[in-house]
Amino acid sequence: MENFELTILGCGSAMPTTRHYPSSQILNHRERLFMIDCGEGAQLQYRRNKIKFTRLQHLFISHLHGDHCFGLIGLISTLGILGRTSELIIHAHSDAERVFRPQLDYFCRDLPFNVRFNAISTNQNEMIYEDKALKVSTLPLRHRIPTCGFLFEEKEKERHLIRDMIQFYNIPIRELAKIKQGEDFITPEGLIIPNERLSRPADPVSRYAYCSDTIYQEKLIPLIEGVDLLYHEATFAEDNKARAKETFHSTAVQAATLAQKAHVKKLILGHFSARYQDDSIFLQEAQEIFPHTIIAKESMQIRF
Amino acid sequence: MENFELTILGCGSAMPTTRHYPSSQILNHRERLFMIDCGEGAQLQYRRNKIKFTRLQHLFISHLHGDHCFGLIGLISTLGILGRTSELIIHAHSDAERVFRPQLDYFCRDLPFNVRFNAISTNQNEMIYEDKALKVSTLPLRHRIPTCGFLFEEKEKERHLIRDMIQFYNIPIRELAKIKQGEDFITPEGLIIPNERLSRPADPVSRYAYCSDTIYQEKLIPLIEGVDLLYHEATFAEDNKARAKETFHSTAVQAATLAQKAHVKKLILGHFSARYQDDSIFLQEAQEIFPHTIIAKESMQIRF
């Protein structure tokens, strides 16, 4: 049973091409949409991919380079025209409010909803969002400007009650919540019924890590250990390894190495430089190190 | 012989759809590109339509609603990455510099070229650009905020010399420029040779008028009288005539009426509201009044 659905709206880098939109994606968790980065044209990609604007909950911006945020003002403006009333929270570096607020004040004067900027710290692993079922924390990255990735983790889920046994022991409704949490049941007679007889294990939780843009850095490994899906930038292939280091980007091989060392279940590469006409080079190079690699593509959907 | 080539990059209105990009177009005059409005995704449309970024000379912004300028920052950023060095001049309302300069300062710190804002007056007909062959002036429009259209006019051209006659009268080279301007020639013997014997008429000049966004207003008529091509907004069809007035927009019928009264040669409608699934309604309604009407479409090219 899948918990997340990731839709790639854009997986190009600095320069948009006819093949790629700049960075932007939608993570759907139980029909609540979390948007990660918002490059130019993101709102066009909402339409093309039939993403429901109304379901957008929170927006996470990794860093304030244009290819990750130039679509913000257009998206917000459209949400206004569509009549959104619920607050939109943008999690981003503290500069974001300083840069975008004047634009909102000028272009979106009569916005029917509030835009709140949550200033996040990009240099430490910190929880920035939580609801009943999910939490999001930052992943410190190293790029030319303050940058962080995001880790989306489902919270521990409740165990499944075994209805027949609940009936058999005649367990009152008020006790059920505790049993779902893993507690044993004690009958009025003082008999202990172990939880394992009353409930089946909870569904496994899913975890998604988004790391873009960043130089290769192994200190990410403990933070993303074993995630179900890792999106990692691979701006360059091995032919431009020096350029990757110089510009604080990664190669496909580096992304794959990180994925392997962190024992992630699946790796998806993105943020491809416009200089590559054919993205399959990234896949080839990465798969030699980490076979469970795929490459991102606009409109691709991955469930996990 | 065509003088202008117009490429439609976007002809939608406030909300982008899967059918239309927001307002943006390129007017090519002798391989110099003049851009009119710059909605989100304009730079993507450059690529899709193989527009040469390097040939962009001047940018004209009709008004500061997002659907006419949200693509500006992305386009400028890309011009920087592509290594442009020549100054880019943006002709727009004076607010433009106040709104966009801070963004340029933040996102495009190391831009290798200068961006200059030319503050234009939107409420009078005023020449804002001229070169050897072309002049551009504002067309005062009436919208919810200060707005103007643009009139692109070729300058009077030189007459064509009749080589045989030039030789026959043995006219010195230094006299030729005057003859191209229409002057007669006086032989050393004092004989007047009328210009008509020495030259043929100049090629006709072409004129293009861009009017978006605006309520219907007849005071435009003398300014656009007889232009070769008029782009006029038709945000609504007759079914939303009241809404057009309310929002300071025009209907297709109003655009056609204006075209007819101004004796323009051809009318192209654009800036269609997202509520219309089928744009042919605009064409039908307009053609009943002004048959030489076409409707804009992304990637359409018109030579005139």
Side-chain angles (χ1 to χ4, degrees), chain A residues 181-222:
Chain A
Q181 298 299 320
E183 287 186 24
D184 296 336
F185 176 67
I186 302 167
T187 64
E189 296 79 27
L191 187 65
I192 295 175
I193 316 293
N195 187 284
E196 291 69 32
R197 293 186 63 183
L198 303 171
S199 73
R200 282 178 291 104
D203 295 328
V205 298
S206 290
R207 298 195 303 147
Y208 172 59
Y210 174 87
C211 297
S212 184
D213 300 351
T214 189
I215 202 165
Y216 175 75
Q217 52 165 357
E218 301 204 336
K219 72 174 185 179
L220 273 176
I221 293 169

Side-chain angles (χ1 to χ4, degrees), chain A residues 14-18 21 40-44 47-48 64 66 69-71 73-74 77-78 81-82 95 98-100 103 106-107, chain B residues 14-18 21 40-44 47-48 64 66 69-71 73-74 77-78 81-82 95 98-100 103 106-107:
Chain A
M15 275 202 301
T17 61
T18 49
Y21 277 76
E40 182 174 359
Q43 64 159 327
L44 306 173
R47 299 219 177 255
R48 208 158 285 150
L64 297 174
C69 63
F70 280 168
I73 182 75
S77 173
T78 290
I81 296 171
L82 293 172
D95 280 359
R98 182 165 67 80
V99 174
F100 289 109
Q103 290 185 59
Y106 190 86
F107 290 111
Chain B
M15 274 202 303
T17 62
T18 49
Y21 276 76
E40 181 174 358
Q43 65 160 327
L44 307 172
R47 299 220 178 256
R48 206 158 287 150
L64 297 173
C69 64
F70 280 167
I73 182 76
S77 173
T78 289
I81 296 171
L82 293 173
D95 280 0
R98 182 164 68 78
V99 174
F100 289 109
Q103 289 185 60
Y106 190 86
F107 290 111

Side-chain angles (χ1 to χ4, degrees), chain A residues 76-95:
Chain A
I76 291 174
S77 173
T78 290
L79 290 172
I81 296 171
L82 293 172
R84 181 188 182 101
T85 53
S86 65
E87 184 174 66
L88 179 71
I89 301 180
I90 300 173
H91 304 266
H93 183 272
S94 60
D95 280 359

